[in-house]
Amino acid sequence: MSFSNDNGAERVRETVDAVYRSDSRRVFATLVRLLGDFDLAEEALHDAFRAALEQWPKQGVPANPRAWLVSAGRFKAIDNLRRSARFVALPEDAAERPDSDDPTERDDAHFEHGAASLTELAERSAVGVVDPAFWDEDAVEDDRLRLIFTCCHPALAPDAQVALTLREVCGLTTEEIARAFLAAPPTLAQRIVRAKAKIRDARIPYQVPAREDLPERVDAVLRVIYLVFNEGYSASLGGSVTRHDLSEEAIRLVRLLIELLPEPEAQGLLALMLLHESRRAARTSPRGELILLDEQDRRLWNRNRIEEGCALVERALSSRRFGPYTLQAAIAAVHAEAADAAETDWAQIVGLYDFLLRAEPSPVVELNRAVAVAMRDGPAAGLVLIDAILARGDLKDYHLAHAARADLCRRLGRASEARAAYQRALGLTRQEPERRFLERRLNALPD
């Protein structure tokens, strides 16, 4: 089927956009497996989508768009490698010739990579055909898991592992990743560039580790998946509270990991994500406004996900080999089991936070515990704890710390302090629904 009119072309463009949103990172992961290079795969990905915009309006949308895109990107990469390989054979003095500043030239390491890869790629090519030799549904489905383990290789620094995976596996922008790290975007960009160079230079394999090596590698992978989910559950910037695509992708990835390695902490992380995700429908109003936990309509919570999450929590806790993710899931389970906000067992939640602080000390965990103490013992008790965190300089640029302080001051009737804290939080917040929520709270303060 082909499209000749403007409406048909527009429908195809919308289809291409939808496929890009849903499948671009899967296509990228498969291209990395086939091409063995991040930069080649990224270039091939964009070439493939450009080809789709040009060809699908004329030829129709293929039955398997993802397979078509992988095939198109692969052949585009082969063409580019052929052009690059021509420069490898040039004499050593070619760089001094007038034509050596051709913009298609690349660095020597890239030329060598192209020359080495070209023969193997070309031998397996069949132009215009989705080659079954590389399009194996099971292999393709696991490509993102392979890519995660590559990005989380122990040869890379832990912060580089997380940043690279968020960028390459999930497609987050550098700014979004920087927000998750509470770091500057240029710093994160350099970290990602260095990590990719390390993978290339050390020839880190694109594969899931052998079973005996999995336990020591899984912690980094869980940390990455957790950060991916966090960005989906509470988007760091933009006009939406959540990013459903990232949350669901994190859940899918951890399910894959559990199939491979059913460790209690992986089960605990899945439980945590399911319990949080069960509240999605209640977290925003029909107009997209943020609704806090104690004001949510719990009838909208997804009971199936709550049941699965609570069962996973019990299983992980009973193993006695659990860690921070399982403890966070247990906290979420206490919230899920309360019929309404008034029935929440805050004493149990504070106790779980005490365990969590011992297992994984961090200012953010300390902040969350302070909020729970405020619910158990009153706002004054929580405010003392939050002020101590901020006085140390911890979380001074974390908007939720100032928002929590503002709320406790508001509840204590300290309007002037609440106003200053809300203003500080607003200055640090980059998500529009959160900004509107804080502005409403600020404007509601008495003069």
Side-chain angles (χ1 to χ4, degrees):
M1 178 175 62
S2 62
F3 298 92
S4 57
N5 56 58
D6 291 341
N7 289 337
E10 182 59 30
R11 286 200 300 274
V12 173
R13 177 176 287 276
E14 291 173 358
T15 298
V16 173
D17 289 343
V19 172
Y20 186 87
R21 288 192 298 271
S22 64
D23 281 346
S24 62
R25 301 324 292 179
R26 289 184 176 89
V27 172
F28 173 75
T30 300
L31 287 169
V32 172
R33 170 166 61 87
L34 297 172
L35 301 174
D37 184 277
F38 283 92
D39 294 331
L40 279 176
E42 192 72 43
E43 185 177 349
L45 173 72
H46 294 302
D47 284 344
F49 275 95
R50 276 194 292 268
L53 287 172
E54 294 170 1
Q55 296 182 35
W56 290 5
K58 303 171 188 175
Q59 302 172 0
V61 178
N64 189 335
R66 185 148 52 107
W68 190 98
L69 289 162
V70 169
S71 184
R74 181 168 171 266
F75 292 130
K76 291 283 187 181
I78 291 169
D79 289 340
N80 290 338
L81 287 170
R82 285 194 179 111
R83 286 194 293 271
S84 296
R86 285 189 290 117
F87 292 97
V88 179
L90 291 176
E92 291 183 0
D93 63 346
E96 299 175 3
R97 298 181 183 179
D99 61 352
S100 65
D101 56 0
D102 187 313
T104 61
E105 287 195 44
R106 307 194 181 175
D107 60 82
D108 291 342
H110 206 100
F111 290 163
E112 291 170 6
H113 177 95
S117 304
L118 181 59
T119 302
E120 180 184 355
L121 287 170
E123 285 175 352
R124 294 184 294 164
S125 300
V127 177
V129 177
V130 176
D131 185 352
F134 72 83
W135 187 262
D136 175 82
E137 285 293 345
D138 292 336
V140 167
E141 190 63 21
D142 290 344
D143 277 339
R144 299 190 84 181
L145 196 57
R146 291 188 184 91
L147 186 54
I148 286 180
F149 274 104
T150 301
C151 293
C152 297
H153 194 278
L156 303 176
D159 54 358
Q161 295 173 7
V162 179
L164 184 64
T165 306
L166 291 174
R167 177 68 191 94
E168 302 300 340
V169 179
C170 303
L172 272 67
T173 66
T174 302
E175 188 174 43
E176 289 168 336
I177 302 168
R179 185 73 174 177
F181 274 97
L182 303 179
T187 302
L188 262 296
Q190 285 300 314
R191 193 174 296 166
I192 291 168
V193 169
R194 287 195 297 269
K196 289 197 288 187
K198 177 74 171 180
I199 289 173
R200 183 186 65 239
D201 297 342
R203 299 186 180 276
I204 291 173
Y206 175 75
Q207 63 187 32
V208 174
R211 181 165 293 276
E212 60 270 19
D213 297 328
L214 272 173
E216 66 183 28
R217 298 278 301 277
V218 78
D219 284 349
V221 173
L222 290 177
R223 184 172 66 252
V224 168
I225 295 174
Y226 179 59
L227 283 175
V228 173
F229 179 81
N230 277 350
E231 182 61 29
Y233 181 74
S234 182
S236 58
L237 71 167
S240 175
V241 171
T242 62
R243 290 184 58 180
H244 183 63
D245 56 334
L246 291 178
S247 298
E248 289 300 322
E249 179 61 22
I251 290 171
R252 190 189 76 83
L253 288 172
V254 81
R255 287 192 192 278
L256 274 176
L257 188 63
I258 289 171
E259 288 179 15
L260 185 69
L261 188 72
E263 283 292 308
E265 259 306 75
Q267 295 171 349
L269 178 57
L270 177 58
L272 174 63
M273 294 192 296
L274 290 172
L275 289 165
H276 280 313
E277 191 66 8
S278 70
R279 308 175 197 154
R280 174 180 293 278
R283 292 185 62 224
T284 56
S285 71
R287 297 174 55 189
E289 300 301 330
L290 179 65
I291 301 175
L292 296 186
L293 178 62
D294 60 347
E295 298 173 351
Q296 290 174 11
D297 182 352
R298 301 191 178 206
R299 294 171 299 179
L300 298 177
W301 289 4
N302 186 317
R303 303 313 304 183
N304 290 334
R305 291 201 155 179
I306 288 173
E307 289 174 9
E308 183 183 2
C310 288
L312 284 164
V313 170
E314 291 179 6
R315 192 181 312 161
L317 288 173
S318 65
S319 73
R320 299 189 179 277
R321 293 189 293 114
F322 57 85
Y325 301 122
T326 300
L327 288 169
Q328 291 178 68
I331 293 168
V334 175
H335 284 295
E337 290 166 352
D340 55 47
E343 293 187 17
T344 304
D345 187 345
W346 287 107
Q348 186 178 3
I349 288 175
V350 171
L352 287 167
Y353 271 122
D354 290 338
F355 280 114
L356 182 57
L357 265 176
R358 288 197 290 271
E360 190 174 67
S362 83
V364 172
V365 173
E366 198 174 345
L367 172 67
N368 291 335
R369 180 186 177 277
V371 172
V373 167
M375 298 303 295
R376 184 191 66 179
D377 301 335
L383 186 60
V384 169
L385 298 175
I386 291 176
D387 281 345
I389 296 170
L390 293 172
R392 296 197 307 261
D394 295 333
L395 305 183
K396 63 184 178 64
D397 294 326
Y398 187 47
H399 71 284
L400 293 179
H402 297 282
R405 186 179 194 281
D407 183 62
L408 296 183
C409 289
R410 177 186 64 84
R411 289 162 57 187
L412 289 167
R414 294 157 61 169
S416 177
E417 290 182 65
R419 182 173 292 105
Y422 276 130
Q423 290 171 341
R424 176 65 173 149
L426 272 167
L428 296 167
T429 302
R430 307 193 60 188
Q431 186 200 92
E432 285 306 313
E434 283 187 338
R435 290 187 61 81
R436 293 195 297 270
F437 174 83
L438 292 172
E439 286 168 351
R440 288 196 301 273
R441 284 288 175 92
L442 178 61
N443 293 334
L445 290 173
D447 292 336

